[in-house]
Amino acid sequence: MASLISHAAPVQQLTADTNGIVRIEGEAEGETTAADEGKLRQRYLLLQKEKFNWHCSKSGCNYMWNEDAVPQVWGNLSIQGVKVESERFKFYSDWLPLDFETVETSQLPFVHEGETSRPLLVESPKETAYGYHALSPGQRITVIGLAVNGHLEPIHLPGEGEDQRMILIGSSVEEMLSSEKETQTGVLIAAGFVMLFLVPVIVGWIRKLFRKLNTLHG
């Protein structure tokens, strides 16, 4: 992902012969029409609602992001005159704050912010909750997608299923790369812990193997 982001070709606009992974920077444009009616006070250019399910483990219970659930997406976004459309977006910006400015007063008792570090709107206590990503007119953003004959299309991201294609949206390339590096660091640390636990097991296997070999030769 970091390589994909850093190698995306910066372009000002798309022409009929523009192809490949491209990066477009500028202000978000369009008309504010998107809202999750009855829940959010404000309207947005683009709104993506993502599902969280209640999950319990040895470390406790909380709402965990459901990466397999198809998010709901509303709105129309363009940047530098280029339409940005996708069934799913990968956001690098913060989650939409859920407070009295963004959420209808009747919904405020159902706003949850816990170990997930994301503000969530709880629909079913200890069952289902939702988080939002949103864009408003004039926001400075960076968009990365696949240019095909002058049109911007979603990208098949490394490690994702074949049917999961997304357009990347963040405030800047630096933010995107920083987020990916943090993710990579977390994966490496987790892998390191796994290896620490596996080392004694591997050593045990090797010792057993040598004992068997010594028995056979003896």
Side-chain angles (χ1 to χ4, degrees):
M1 280 298 297
S3 177
L4 184 151
I5 292 168
S6 59
H7 287 92
V11 297
Q12 291 297 317
Q13 58 183 6
L14 299 185
T15 60
D17 60 349
T18 304
N19 293 283
I21 306 295
V22 297
R23 180 178 85 234
I24 309 173
E25 297 176 311
E27 292 185 355
E29 303 167 351
E31 185 180 349
T32 54
T33 58
D36 195 359
E37 299 296 343
K39 298 179 176 64
L40 304 183
R41 290 180 180 271
Q42 300 179 27
R43 294 179 178 273
Y44 304 90
L45 288 180
L46 185 68
L47 186 69
Q48 180 163 297
K49 180 180 181 180
E50 303 196 29
K51 188 176 182 180
F52 289 75
N53 295 118
W54 186 253
H55 176 78
C56 293
S57 64
K58 291 181 180 179
S59 58
C61 299
N62 215 311
Y63 291 98
M64 304 294 290
W65 179 50
N66 186 337
E67 59 182 313
D68 296 322
V70 178
Q72 294 174 265
V73 178
W74 298 275
N76 295 288
L77 168 69
S78 63
I79 178 172
Q80 304 286 21
V82 178
K83 285 187 177 180
V84 182
E85 298 175 317
S86 179
E87 292 184 357
R88 187 171 196 160
F89 295 89
K90 180 175 177 62
F91 283 88
Y92 288 88
S93 55
D94 292 335
W95 293 78
L96 181 68
L98 299 179
D99 54 28
F100 69 93
E101 291 185 355
T102 56
V103 180
E104 286 293 340
T105 307
S106 61
Q107 301 291 330
L108 283 175
F110 304 102
V111 172
H112 166 89
E113 190 164 7
E115 293 176 10
T116 59
S117 75
R118 304 173 176 103
L120 302 177
L121 192 61
V122 177
E123 284 204 352
S124 306
K126 295 188 178 181
E127 288 184 17
T128 309
Y130 293 94
Y132 299 87
H133 276 111
L135 292 178
S136 299
Q139 276 188 247
R140 185 79 182 176
I141 59 172
T142 296
V143 172
I144 295 178
L146 175 64
V148 179
N149 299 327
H151 298 283
L152 192 68
E153 297 186 1
I155 312 168
H156 174 237
L157 303 182
E160 299 290 345
E162 283 297 327
D163 59 336
Q164 289 200 15
R165 298 176 182 273
M166 307 180 206
I167 285 179
L168 314 185
I169 298 180
S171 60
S172 66
V173 172
E174 291 75 19
E175 176 197 45
M176 292 177 169
L177 290 174
S178 175
S179 175
E180 290 298 337
K181 286 176 181 177
E182 285 181 11
T183 300
Q184 290 175 0
T185 301
V187 170
L188 289 173
I189 291 173
F193 278 115
V194 171
M195 287 303 297
L196 285 174
F197 284 112
L198 286 178
V199 165
V201 176
I202 294 171
V203 170
W205 288 342
I206 293 172
R207 284 177 176 172
K208 285 181 181 178
L209 179 61
F210 274 113
R211 284 183 195 135
K212 287 183 179 179
L213 290 173
N214 288 331
T215 302
L216 290 172
H217 289 294

